[in-house]
Amino acid sequence: MKYRHEWKHEINESDFLVLKQRLCAVAGPDPHAQPDGRYLVRSLYFDNMSDQALREKIDGVNRREKFRIRYYNDDTSYIQLEKKSKYNGLCSKEAVTVPKETVRRILEGDSRALLESGQELEAELYSKMLSRGLAPKTIVEYMRMPFVFPPGNVRITLDYQIRAGTCCRDFLNMEAITIKAAFSSVILEVKWDEFLPDIIRDAIWLPGRRACAFSKYAACRSYG
């Protein structure tokens, strides 16, 4: 499992406009973005009855993990199951594609659908749904503007218009009602492998802004 460095910053709209201009000048667009340079992300996060994933995030537990299912731009023909792990401040992500029908069955309470593909990550989620009580907990939706810089395998994202959905059964319903998150911040995320090039470090520098442990999942859980 490969771990990467990760920085997160809460920034305001003015910062967003400044960074967008800088990053367009020094970094390239993500090949998965739409022509306007952005895309919509919708994720379904899993947690248990005691909110273990949420509490471990808030408490800053050194080693933790969370599962989510995600698709982009309202396109449910390509859905991913992801497991994000944190250890000593570094992060890693494992992902596999899952059929829409499998997701639909999970939303209806049939977790056995995760065993039909033979994929290890799906089997792991199934096991932890049984052993730890993991279950769909909340929907998190937002717009993302991504940039890439090949040296250092750097990826920079600007996430905004963050919204929460409290009815997990609506995850595949693009018309479902979501609620604007209770904060207006833009979230800057920077991920890289062994080194962060100075040109990117300089481009993302903003006076008075420091790395934080912001979680879109935690922010959206304020609604339940």
Side-chain angles (χ1 to χ4, degrees):
M1 184 183 297
K2 184 179 180 62
Y3 282 89
R4 284 162 55 80
H5 299 270
E6 180 182 67
W7 280 349
K8 291 184 181 181
H9 301 260
E10 288 187 63
I11 62 176
N12 58 38
E13 189 171 342
S14 296
D15 296 332
F16 170 79
L17 296 175
V18 169
L19 289 181
K20 177 182 175 182
Q21 186 174 37
R22 290 181 188 172
L23 291 169
C24 284
V26 302
D30 188 301
H32 299 100
Q34 298 183 92
D36 62 1
R38 62 181 190 165
Y39 54 75
L40 178 69
V41 182
R42 175 176 272 204
S43 300
L44 176 69
Y45 283 82
F46 290 74
D47 212 335
N48 60 16
M49 291 293 291
S50 61
D51 292 328
Q52 180 180 354
L54 177 62
R55 293 180 181 278
E56 287 181 349
K57 172 63 181 179
I58 293 173
D59 294 341
V61 173
N62 184 53
R63 184 189 287 261
R64 61 186 188 270
E65 65 183 27
K66 60 187 175 188
F67 287 86
R68 66 192 179 204
I69 297 175
R70 170 173 289 187
Y71 62 93
Y72 305 90
N73 294 325
D74 293 337
D75 180 8
T76 57
S77 67
Y78 180 78
I79 306 176
Q80 284 191 302
L81 166 63
E82 300 179 349
K83 174 187 174 183
K84 189 171 183 182
S85 303
K86 284 269 192 166
Y87 179 61
N88 282 342
L90 301 176
C91 66
S92 71
K93 185 172 71 174
E94 302 169 67
V96 297
T97 58
V98 293
K100 180 179 179 179
E101 177 62 17
T102 297
V103 177
R104 184 191 63 78
R105 288 171 59 185
I106 293 170
L107 297 176
E108 293 177 352
D110 182 10
S111 59
R112 292 172 299 177
L114 289 163
L115 298 178
E116 295 179 357
S117 71
Q119 297 191 99
E120 290 185 8
L121 191 59
E122 289 186 65
E124 181 181 353
L125 175 57
Y126 174 78
S127 173
K128 290 177 179 176
M129 290 179 79
L130 292 183
S131 63
R132 301 184 184 178
L134 290 184
K137 203 71 171 184
T138 196
I139 297 169
V140 177
E141 182 180 275
Y142 53 90
M143 293 301 304
R144 166 165 284 180
M145 182 170 291
F147 300 88
V148 295
F149 192 77
N153 191 23
V154 181
R155 191 162 189 269
I156 310 107
T157 56
L158 298 166
D159 297 338
Y160 57 100
Q161 295 179 6
I162 302 170
R163 303 181 66 85
T166 57
C167 181
C168 295
R169 290 176 63 92
D170 287 336
F171 178 60
L172 297 174
N173 177 12
M174 279 72 80
E175 303 299 322
I177 295 174
T178 56
I179 307 167
K180 183 178 179 181
F183 62 94
S184 58
S185 301
V186 177
I187 307 304
L188 164 67
E189 295 187 8
V190 188
K191 298 183 178 70
W192 71 96
D193 288 346
E194 284 75 20
F195 70 98
L196 181 63
D198 287 343
I199 189 171
I200 298 298
R201 193 183 297 270
D202 292 342
I204 63 173
W205 182 84
L206 292 166
R209 300 288 185 266
R210 296 183 179 181
C212 64
F214 184 88
S215 166
K216 290 185 284 291
Y217 168 61
C220 289
R221 281 297 310 278
S222 62
Y223 295 107

